[in-house]
């Protein structure tokens, strides 16, 4: 079952239970109120009937007339009730006009029509409680009530308990009428609330439907899919998160496509060179001279380097980059890398300007990976710095970090490309040859190694117009 139907059904069920509970409380309250009214009316009837019977006994000094013919007793009771009904019938509302209550049409009443004398079942007993007139009653029926003449009991009355409560014609009809109105209003309220619940449920769950459609679109690689967040509640925030996820997937899909294209291009060039040279040697067009063999060997080495770099990046992406962490001194590792590159730097006419502080600072890391990081940065300087020119290398210690800055002499990087320096296969000038620009993976590997160690690496323009690579190394391992 759909979530919409579940919520709609729950709303209808709760509404139904509430309405039934309200009507049950109203009905129970009304029953209790009219039982009190019944008891009051019965008491008034008893007072009136007992008074009239006492007057009759005062005149006749016996109950013989009622004992001879029970119908006379029934007629006497009916006459008393009919002639005095306006005095004992309690109005339904205190503000109703005085006078006899309105007579309802047949069939109306709270629980039936006004009972007849026979249904009232009033029995007359003598002073010694022998039945005189009226129906016989069992021990479980109502108690005896005295008929007093000058404060002396001359007889007894007994009202039989009814399964149906004694009801008044006027108030019961009004109550029934108004309860019917309440029932109709309750049904209308249920229908209106049900319709409102239906449309409200659809409105509330419409973002869920959009999310469902959006998710299905993403599974079909339609990463340009977006949904409209119409509210600021949890569903609205979920919609915003979905759009953020879709944008991220779209970005990574674009990068993946570009990545595959760049890798294909990067591998195709040396493979084409190798194939062409080997086919020329096979066909005898060229002879296998040491120079040509060295050229082929250089292409193989270049291919091997690309494959190794790609492997490093792939492993880093998977979060399982192999590292043997131990206590290391980053500044000393940098100094050792510079010593290994001293001859090349000197040959290229690059002058090192060094200012090392914190060479004795130790952190945890993989020494081989850190050497690779510094080597790639220095290699990048060798490729792109103006020659001859200086490279400024500084290190300093702050309260919680060790900072290393490597600044070349230019020509630098356009501002719009600074955010892409560490992207894979990125070259500022795509037209550069492999001999001039390398594979474009060196700084990407630096970024992966730095991230794996919890270090921060960034690239900015220097005041002199070159590029500054800065490393921020936390002194406390996270």
């Amino acid at each position: 079952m759909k979530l919409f139907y579940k919520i709609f059904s729950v709303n209808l069920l709760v509404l139904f239970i509430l309405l039934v509970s309200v009507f049950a409380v109203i009905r129970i309250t009304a029953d209790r109120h009219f039982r009190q009214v019944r008891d009051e009316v019965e008491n008034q009837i008893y007072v009136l009937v007992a008074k009239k019977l006492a007057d009759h006994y005062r005149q006749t000094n016996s109950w013989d007339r009622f004992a001879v013919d029970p119908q006379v007793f029934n007629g006497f009771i009916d006459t008393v009730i009919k002639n005095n009904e306006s005095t004992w019938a309690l109005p339904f509302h205190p503000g109703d006009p005085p006078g006899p209550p309105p007579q309802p049409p047949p069939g109306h009443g709270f629980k039936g029509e006004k009972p007849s004398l026979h249904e009232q079942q009033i029995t007359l007993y003598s002073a010694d409680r022998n039945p005189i007139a009226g129906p016989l009653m069992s021990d479980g029926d109502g108690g005896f009530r005295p008929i007093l003449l000058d404060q002396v009991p001359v007889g007894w009355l007994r009202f039989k308990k009814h399964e149906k409560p004694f009801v008044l014609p006027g108030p019961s009809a009004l109550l029934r009428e108004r309860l019917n109105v309440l029932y109709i209003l309750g049904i209308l309220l249920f229908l209106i609330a049900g319709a409102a619940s239906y449309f409200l449920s659809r409105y509330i769950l419409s973002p869920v439907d959009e999310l469902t459609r959006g998710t299905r679109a993403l599974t079909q690689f339609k990463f340009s899919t977006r949904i409209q967040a119409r509210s600021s509640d949890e569903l609205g925030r979920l919609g915003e998160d979905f759009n953020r996820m879709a944008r991220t997937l779209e970005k990574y899909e674009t990068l993946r496509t570009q990545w595959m294209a760049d890798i294909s291009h990067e591998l195709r060039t040396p493979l084409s060179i190798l194939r062409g040279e080997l086919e020329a040697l096979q066909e005898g067009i060229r002879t296998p001279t040491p120079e040509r063999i060295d050229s082929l060997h250089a292409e193989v080495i270049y291919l091997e380097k690309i494959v190794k770099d790609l492997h490093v990046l792939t492993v880093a992406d998977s979060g399982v980059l192999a590292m043997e962490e131990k206590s290391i001194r980053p500044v000393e590792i940098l100094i050792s890398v510079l010593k290994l590159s001293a001859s090349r730097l000197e040959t290229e006419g690059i002058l090192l300007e060094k200012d090392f502080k914190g060479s004795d600072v130790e952190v945890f890391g993989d020494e081989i990976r850190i050497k690779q990081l510094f080597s790639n940065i220095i290699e990048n300087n060798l490729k792109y710095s103006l020659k001859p020119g200086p490279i400024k290398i500084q290190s300093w210690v702050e309260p919680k970090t060790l900072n290393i800055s490597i600044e070349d002499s230019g020509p630098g990087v356009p501002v719009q490309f600074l955010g892409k320096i560490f992207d894979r296969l990125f070259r500022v000038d795509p037209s550069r040859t492999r001999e001039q620009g390398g594979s474009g993976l060196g700084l990407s590997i630096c970024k992966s190694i730095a991230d794996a160690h919890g270090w921060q690496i960034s690239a900015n323009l220097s005041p002199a117009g070159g590029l500054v690579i800065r490393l921020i190394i936390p002194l406390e391992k996270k």
Side-chain angles (χ1 to χ4, degrees):
M1 182 184 291
K2 291 184 177 180
L3 181 60
F4 164 73
Y5 294 115
K6 290 181 180 179
I7 294 179
F8 179 60
S9 301
V10 169
N11 289 339
L12 287 184
L13 179 61
V14 171
L15 179 62
F16 178 77
I17 292 174
L18 286 176
L19 287 176
V20 171
S21 301
V22 169
F23 284 121
V25 170
I26 292 175
R27 188 60 182 266
I28 292 172
T29 303
D31 279 343
R32 182 175 301 172
H33 171 71
F34 273 84
R35 287 192 187 97
Q36 295 174 354
V37 173
R38 177 201 62 190
D39 294 340
E40 179 66 23
V41 170
E42 285 185 350
N43 185 62
Q44 293 183 21
I45 293 175
Y46 158 71
V47 172
L48 290 171
V49 172
K51 182 178 182 299
K52 296 299 181 180
L53 288 173
D55 292 342
H56 174 80
Y57 191 86
R58 184 188 300 277
Q59 296 173 3
T60 62
N61 200 31
S62 71
W63 303 114
D64 294 342
R65 181 183 176 190
F66 299 144
V68 172
D69 188 358
Q71 295 299 324
V72 174
F73 174 74
N74 292 342
F76 179 86
I77 297 299
D78 282 340
T79 301
V80 171
I81 293 176
K82 183 177 180 181
N83 293 338
N84 296 275
E85 191 172 13
S86 62
T87 64
W88 53 258
L90 298 179
F92 190 70
H93 284 106
D96 289 342
Q103 297 297 323
H108 283 248
F110 184 47
K111 288 191 175 180
E113 298 180 13
K114 169 189 168 183
S116 67
L117 173 63
H118 177 70
E119 289 176 334
Q120 294 176 22
Q121 297 189 26
I122 301 176
T123 302
L124 174 64
Y125 290 81
S126 63
D128 54 359
R129 297 190 179 184
N130 291 319
I132 297 173
L136 295 177
M137 296 189 181
S138 61
D139 294 339
D141 290 325
F144 291 91
R145 300 186 182 186
I147 302 173
L148 299 176
L149 181 62
D150 299 329
Q151 302 301 319
V152 177
V154 294
W156 299 87
L157 285 176
R158 195 175 185 188
F159 289 76
K160 187 174 184 179
K161 293 183 178 179
H162 303 282
E163 294 181 359
K164 295 183 178 181
F166 185 88
V167 292
L168 301 177
S172 61
L174 290 174
L175 177 65
R176 180 61 178 268
E177 179 182 349
R178 296 183 186 186
L179 281 177
N180 289 338
V181 172
L182 283 178
Y183 293 150
I184 295 174
L185 289 177
I187 294 173
L188 291 176
L189 177 63
F190 181 79
L191 293 177
I192 294 173
S197 175
Y198 176 84
F199 291 107
L200 187 60
S201 299
R202 290 189 66 87
Y203 174 77
I204 292 176
L205 293 178
S206 58
V208 177
D209 293 335
E210 287 196 36
L211 282 170
T212 302
R213 290 191 294 269
T215 304
R216 290 175 180 172
L218 291 183
T219 60
Q220 299 172 2
F221 304 102
K222 298 177 181 178
F223 299 121
S224 60
T225 303
R226 302 289 185 273
I227 65 173
Q228 184 177 0
R230 300 185 179 91
S231 61
S232 58
D233 57 10
E234 289 80 359
L235 288 176
R237 291 194 293 272
L238 183 59
E240 293 174 357
D241 291 339
F242 175 89
N243 290 336
R244 191 177 298 111
M245 178 185 68
R247 285 192 294 270
T248 302
L249 290 174
E250 185 178 23
K251 174 184 175 182
Y252 277 104
E253 176 64 14
T254 302
L255 292 175
R256 185 190 68 83
T257 304
Q258 185 64 38
W259 165 257
M260 295 301 297
D262 291 343
I263 287 297
S264 299
H265 174 75
E266 203 67 33
L267 295 177
R268 184 170 59 248
T269 301
L271 287 174
S272 297
I273 294 174
L274 283 173
R275 179 180 177 180
E277 291 291 334
L278 289 174
E279 288 178 351
L281 291 174
Q282 287 176 337
E283 295 173 2
I285 298 175
R286 294 185 181 180
T287 58
T289 63
E291 291 78 11
R292 290 193 177 96
I293 293 176
D294 290 341
S295 175
L296 293 175
H297 184 257
E299 295 298 332
V300 172
I301 292 176
Y302 178 74
L303 279 174
E304 182 183 22
K305 182 179 184 305
I306 290 179
V307 171
K308 286 183 178 180
D309 289 345
L310 290 175
H311 176 71
V312 171
L313 292 173
T314 302
V315 172
D317 286 344
S318 65
V320 291
L321 183 64
M323 293 193 301
E324 184 180 351
E325 290 193 346
K326 61 181 180 179
S327 180
I328 60 173
R329 296 181 176 181
V331 177
E332 289 188 356
I333 295 176
L334 174 58
I335 293 173
S336 66
V337 170
L338 292 174
K339 288 180 179 179
L340 292 174
S341 304
S343 59
R344 291 186 59 196
L345 293 169
E346 184 178 354
T347 301
E348 296 288 344
I350 294 177
L351 176 64
L352 292 179
E353 298 179 3
K354 298 175 287 185
D355 182 13
F356 294 126
K357 296 182 177 65
S359 58
D360 58 343
V361 172
E362 296 184 355
V363 296
F364 279 92
D366 187 304
E367 183 175 355
I368 295 177
R369 297 295 183 189
I370 300 304
K371 282 184 178 179
Q372 185 179 12
L373 183 151
F374 288 132
S375 297
N376 287 351
I377 295 176
I378 299 301
E379 188 69 24
N380 192 71
N381 293 136
L382 284 168
K383 287 186 174 71
Y384 299 121
S385 296
L386 293 177
K387 306 175 186 64
I391 292 181
K392 298 179 181 179
I393 303 178
Q394 297 176 302
S395 66
W396 67 95
V397 180
E398 293 182 354
K400 294 184 178 181
T401 59
L402 171 64
N403 297 266
I404 296 176
S405 172
I406 303 175
E407 176 183 349
D408 61 32
S409 58
V413 175
V415 177
Q416 64 269 25
F417 293 135
L418 279 176
K420 298 182 178 181
I421 284 293
F422 299 103
D423 290 351
R424 298 167 187 182
L425 301 175
F426 172 76
R427 296 189 182 97
V428 176
D429 184 1
S431 64
R432 280 179 174 163
T433 64
R434 292 182 294 114
E435 290 77 10
Q436 294 172 322
S439 64
L441 295 174
L443 291 182
S444 297
I445 294 176
C446 292
K447 181 75 164 59
S448 297
I449 295 174
D451 290 343
H453 283 79
W455 297 4
Q456 295 181 29
I457 186 170
S458 61
N460 293 284
L461 296 179
S462 69
L467 185 70
V468 180
I469 303 294
R470 182 178 176 185
L471 283 165
I472 301 177
I473 305 170
L475 297 181
E476 297 179 359
K477 183 177 176 58
K478 296 182 180 179

